[in-house]
Amino acid sequence: CSPKKNKKEKISCYTKGSLNRLNGPHAIYVDKDKNIYIADTHNHRVVKWANGANEGVVVAGAGGYGEANNQLKAPRGIYVDEENNFMYISDSDNHRVLKWEIGASEGVIVAGGNGRGSDLDQLEYPNNLALDENGHLVIADSNAHRIVRWVIGETEGVVIAGISGEAWNDNLMSVSNPHDFAFDSKGNLYVPDFYRHVIKKYKPGNLTPEIIFGKLNQSGTSTERLDNPFSIYFDENDNLFISDVRNHR
């Protein structure tokens, strides 16, 4: 479609992208049948792409760019509760998380949705998210510089890493712009501290981390250093994988 003079109209135009294309995808979830759920960020939708298919199907955000519960603004995280047939979507630019039954035409706000901010009932550009072993949401609340655990049904979250709204208050306790997190098999939480170039490890119930990889506030290209670590992942053997953005590895 052709660009509009109004900036918002121009952005909404992008939601009409064809189903065999993506625009700035930010996160994926692969289910047990190898279907891929994609946070198609700049098309403001979530697309389900069946194994072997040459195009996807819109499963969230068919209403286009916006703030209604059938709309999304730049989703940057997707997690699928396969057992209960729900998706959890970080609707990042709306500063909320939606619980969306697969097949439904709209979602329900289960975290945030109270404007942009770092209060405990707010989120600020949430990114990756997941359900923990107890079925509680864990959210990388990127621009609030924290990881929060949010019990579904509650009106506030609990900080489990970082200091709300404070990226630089304390080099050890603060976390800068976390986009992702991961848990190992013992329940320890690992968080990439983006601008400090390190990975921090939090034992359960402990807000004081230890640095397990990288050199605090020192980027580098050696195998002992990181430069803006973005996302992390543990395999079944507790091997840790890190996307090291500015080192292109």
Side-chain angles (χ1 to χ4, degrees), residues 109-177:
I109 299 170
V110 292
N114 296 303
R116 172 184 175 182
S118 57
D119 289 343
L120 291 177
D121 66 342
Q122 296 177 305
L123 298 170
E124 187 168 356
Y125 297 106
N127 274 242
N128 192 31
L129 76 172
L131 293 181
D132 67 14
E133 60 183 5
N134 297 310
H136 304 322
L137 273 172
V138 180
I139 306 163
D141 193 13
S142 183
N143 280 34
H145 311 293
R146 63 190 182 185
I147 307 295
V148 295
R149 176 175 281 118
W150 204 300
V151 177
I152 296 170
E154 296 292 332
T155 58
E156 294 184 346
V158 175
V159 177
I160 59 173
I163 301 173
S164 293
E166 295 287 348
W168 302 106
N169 186 58
D170 183 292
N171 272 329
L172 185 62
M173 300 292 287
S174 297
V175 178
S176 61
N177 295 94

Side-chain angles (χ1 to χ4, degrees), residues 28-37 78 80 82:
I28 65 170
Y29 179 95
V30 182
D31 70 15
K32 64 181 185 301
D33 297 317
K34 299 185 179 179
N35 299 305
I36 305 174
Y37 293 77
I78 174 70
V80 181
E82 298 181 53

Side-chain angles (χ1 to χ4, degrees), residues 27-236:
I28 65 170
Y29 179 95
V30 182
D31 70 15
K32 64 181 185 301
D33 297 317
K34 299 185 179 179
N35 299 305
I36 305 174
Y37 293 77
I38 306 166
D40 189 11
T41 303
H42 299 306
N43 277 326
H44 313 289
R45 64 189 184 184
V46 174
V47 177
K48 179 182 178 181
W49 208 295
N51 185 27
N54 56 17
E55 67 177 22
V57 176
V58 177
V59 292
Y65 174 93
E67 300 174 359
N69 283 0
N70 68 337
Q71 296 178 309
L72 299 171
K73 281 187 187 179
R76 291 185 171 89
I78 174 70
Y79 181 86
V80 181
D81 178 359
E82 298 181 53
E83 182 178 350
N84 296 300
N85 207 41
F86 285 101
M87 299 176 289
Y88 292 87
I89 303 165
S90 281
D91 189 12
S92 190
D93 285 14
N94 278 324
H95 314 292
R96 65 187 185 181
V97 171
L98 293 172
K99 180 181 180 180
W100 201 303
E101 186 174 5
I102 297 173
S105 60
E106 65 178 35
V108 176
I109 299 170
V110 292
N114 296 303
R116 172 184 175 182
S118 57
D119 289 343
L120 291 177
D121 66 342
Q122 296 177 305
L123 298 170
E124 187 168 356
Y125 297 106
N127 274 242
N128 192 31
L129 76 172
L131 293 181
D132 67 14
E133 60 183 5
N134 297 310
H136 304 322
L137 273 172
V138 180
I139 306 163
D141 193 13
S142 183
N143 280 34
H145 311 293
R146 63 190 182 185
I147 307 295
V148 295
R149 176 175 281 118
W150 204 300
V151 177
I152 296 170
E154 296 292 332
T155 58
E156 294 184 346
V158 175
V159 177
I160 59 173
I163 301 173
S164 293
E166 295 287 348
W168 302 106
N169 186 58
D170 183 292
N171 272 329
L172 185 62
M173 300 292 287
S174 297
V175 178
S176 61
N177 295 94
H179 299 91
D180 200 7
F181 59 87
F183 289 94
D184 66 17
S185 62
K186 297 179 180 179
N188 298 304
L189 171 67
Y190 296 74
V191 181
D193 194 337
F194 189 71
Y195 289 112
R196 289 189 180 85
H197 315 292
V198 295
I199 307 297
K200 293 180 175 178
K201 174 184 176 181
Y202 297 80
K203 294 180 179 179
N206 192 344
L207 283 172
T208 302
E210 59 180 299
I211 295 169
I212 59 102
F213 197 87
K215 183 72 172 178
L216 192 65
N217 294 324
Q218 295 183 31
S219 61
T221 58
S222 71
T223 55
E224 293 83 23
R225 299 288 179 90
L226 299 169
D227 196 343
N228 295 144
F230 189 87
S231 59
I232 55 176
Y233 173 78
F234 275 104
D235 68 12
E236 63 275 10

